[in-house]
Amino acid sequence: YGGRTRDLLDRLMSSDNSSEIGLGIFACGELKLVRQKKALFQFLKSPDLNVRVHAAIALGKLGHRDGVHLILAVVMSDDFKLSIKVLQLIATLESEVRLLVNRLLREMVVGEIESIKSNGAYSDLSEQQIVRLRALYYILGYSDEKLIKVA
């Protein structure tokens, strides 16, 4: 990449604004900038969750598995909006990393569904458990439909 692009990325990734940092990290992943790998690993330690997630996704696009557990934790979190955004980004990961994330995600989702279902009849579930089941089935369906079939 050229000098102007390098300058822009340096400016974004050294910003005090987490949104700008996230844009820089996103660009590194999209452009497959392996030379930024060291910086991306450092961003995995950021106190800002969005910066860490962007770094994990960018590293996954480069074929690194170091952010997989963070990606899974965010998808399985109670923040459904963020979970869906990250779930959609999983499809952009390098194929081996994407398949690993998908396999682990399916195991986690199925395990949690079984745990909730083992508590008795559906009529005995709390509203919170029903909402959680809905989210889990959405994740499972998205996983089957979008992540496995991505080339």
Side-chain angles (χ1 to χ4, degrees):
Y1 57 105
R4 295 181 89 190
T5 304
R6 200 173 8 256
D7 291 343
L8 176 61
L9 278 175
D10 288 345
R11 197 167 53 240
L12 287 171
M13 292 175 60
S14 62
S15 173
D16 292 332
N17 181 311
S18 64
S19 294
E20 290 180 358
I21 294 169
L23 284 172
I25 294 170
F26 178 80
C28 289
E30 286 297 299
L31 298 171
K32 309 260 192 284
L33 300 178
V34 177
R35 66 183 340 164
Q36 293 291 339
K37 180 175 57 175
K38 185 176 179 182
L40 295 174
F41 279 111
Q42 289 302 312
F43 284 121
L44 280 177
K45 301 173 188 171
S46 171
D48 186 290
L49 176 62
N50 286 320
V51 169
R52 290 194 314 269
V53 168
H54 278 295
I57 295 293
L59 284 166
K61 289 178 180 182
L62 297 176
H64 293 278
R65 300 174 179 205
D66 297 73
V68 165
H69 293 295
L70 174 64
I71 292 168
L72 293 170
V74 171
V75 171
M76 295 297 290
S77 75
D78 291 331
D79 185 342
F80 192 65
K81 286 183 179 180
L82 181 59
S83 176
I84 296 306
K85 288 178 186 176
V86 173
L87 189 61
Q88 292 168 344
L89 289 172
I90 292 171
T92 67
L93 301 177
E94 183 272 331
S95 64
E96 285 185 28
V97 177
R98 185 188 73 252
L99 292 173
L100 171 66
V101 169
N102 188 58
R103 182 179 56 79
L104 294 173
L105 184 60
R106 280 186 63 60
E107 290 172 9
M108 293 171 75
V109 168
V110 169
E112 189 171 339
I113 288 172
E114 291 302 319
S115 174
I116 292 171
K117 287 171 56 176
S118 71
N119 290 333
Y122 283 114
S123 59
D124 296 335
L125 297 177
S126 69
E127 182 179 342
Q128 182 180 6
Q129 287 174 311
I130 292 169
V131 169
R132 183 64 180 164
L133 274 174
R134 181 175 177 225
L136 291 169
Y137 279 117
Y138 178 87
I139 291 168
L140 196 58
Y142 189 93
S143 170
D144 287 345
E145 181 182 326
K146 303 286 185 186
L147 301 182
I148 292 175
K149 296 178 182 175
V150 175

